[in-house]
Amino acid sequence: MMTLLNQRHNYGLDLFLLSIDEGIAGYRDDSLETVKRNEQTYGIPLKVLSYRELYGWSMDQIVAQIGTKNNCTFCGVFRRQALDRGGVLERADKIASGHNADDIAETILLNIIRGDIPRLSRCVNIVTGGEGPLPRVKPFKYTYEKEIVMYAYFNKLDYFSTECVYAPFAARGFARDFVKDLEAARPAGIMDLIHSAESWTISTGSQEQMPTPQRLPAVHIAVASCLPSKCYKPS
């Protein structure tokens, strides 16, 4: 889609594909093959980074150690860090993610459940990390997941729809089920939820009274941000 818009409107964007290999057998294998075919089809360079390359661990190895609980917590931290590293390595100005309206509605609910006020105030922003060197944009923020799938299907685009094998154990799965039930009862429910979150005003003057969300143990954050002999320092 970005390639088509770039050509049609002459935006002058220098696009490249950035894919993260988490090392999940039966899931990422299929998607990587699809991305490699997209590289040839659209003539866009592809950069693939793996958890094993960056951290010395694949996601399957992590699950073998910790079991099927909190897998998304580890994976999310590693993945965000990997995307940032890949973007810097390729000298990107911005990272465009594929988050759609369904994803954002689920994130809103998860942040409400966790009482994560700081993230709740920024999770609906179409641009995040604007204060840093590598902002992230969400071009599909107002696009339903089903619209993306239908567009890809009827235009015969090469895409994959394999679900992560660890997804059934994730808390997001419960939020996803709720969002789907909400959409079935009220078709505009997903967009209503996003617009409601956009209109919320989070007071910054009473941070001390706000509930503090549960954080990862310090060792986990340290591992994700600065590994031995792999410490990343932006140039």
Side-chain angles (χ1 to χ4, degrees):
M1 179 61 74
M2 293 295 293
T3 304
L4 176 63
L5 293 175
N6 194 32
Q7 294 173 347
R8 180 177 296 175
H9 300 288
N10 195 26
Y11 288 144
L13 300 177
D14 183 13
L15 301 173
F16 73 94
L17 297 168
L18 175 59
S19 187
I20 307 301
D21 180 7
E22 301 93 342
I24 302 176
Y27 167 62
R28 188 52 69 189
D29 320 58
D30 295 339
S31 69
L32 284 177
E33 291 304 314
T34 302
V35 173
K36 290 175 183 177
R37 291 194 297 270
N38 288 337
E39 177 187 18
Q40 301 300 320
T41 301
Y42 302 110
I44 305 177
L46 168 65
K47 176 69 175 179
V48 179
L49 290 176
S50 68
Y51 282 7
R52 184 184 290 275
E53 173 188 353
L54 294 173
Y55 313 120
W57 289 76
S58 70
M59 206 50 222
D60 284 342
Q61 290 175 317
I62 293 174
V63 173
Q65 292 292 322
I66 69 173
T68 56
K69 187 176 181 180
N70 296 328
N71 302 147
C72 291
T73 300
F74 285 89
C75 192
V77 173
F78 285 172
R79 184 175 178 79
R80 283 189 291 271
Q81 177 75 1
L83 286 170
D84 285 341
R85 292 191 186 189
V88 171
L89 286 173
E90 296 299 308
R91 301 182 181 276
D93 298 309
K94 289 182 175 62
I95 294 178
S97 68
H99 292 96
N100 54 59
D102 300 55
D103 296 325
I104 295 173
E106 294 165 12
T107 302
I108 293 169
L109 290 175
L110 284 172
N111 287 331
I112 292 175
I113 293 170
R114 293 168 178 162
D116 197 334
I117 303 301
R119 283 194 175 92
L120 183 59
S121 64
R122 63 176 182 265
C123 69
V124 292
N125 295 339
I126 200 165
V127 178
T128 57
E131 68 283 353
L134 193 59
R136 299 186 184 188
V137 298
K138 306 168 189 172
F140 297 131
K141 174 184 175 181
Y142 296 114
T143 307
Y144 292 104
E145 183 179 72
K146 64 176 63 175
E147 292 177 331
I148 296 173
V149 174
M150 289 176 63
Y151 180 89
Y153 178 79
F154 286 110
N155 284 278
K156 296 180 172 56
L157 302 183
D158 191 0
Y159 69 99
F160 74 100
S161 57
T162 308
E163 184 179 56
C164 176
V165 296
Y166 304 121
F169 308 104
R172 180 173 287 271
F174 298 101
R176 181 179 297 112
D177 292 341
F178 180 83
V179 167
K180 295 305 180 186
D181 291 341
L182 176 64
E183 185 183 26
R186 178 182 173 83
I190 291 176
M191 209 59 69
D192 288 344
L193 186 56
I194 294 175
H195 290 322
S196 295
E198 288 174 333
S199 66
W200 294 340
T201 300
I202 307 297
S203 174
T204 57
S206 56
Q207 289 291 332
E208 294 181 0
Q209 287 74 38
M210 289 184 176
T212 302
Q214 184 177 358
R215 299 298 185 188
L216 287 171
V219 64
H220 294 156
I221 296 178
V223 167
S225 59
C226 188
L227 298 169
S229 76
K230 295 282 187 179
C231 187
Y232 163 67
K233 295 181 180 180
S235 56

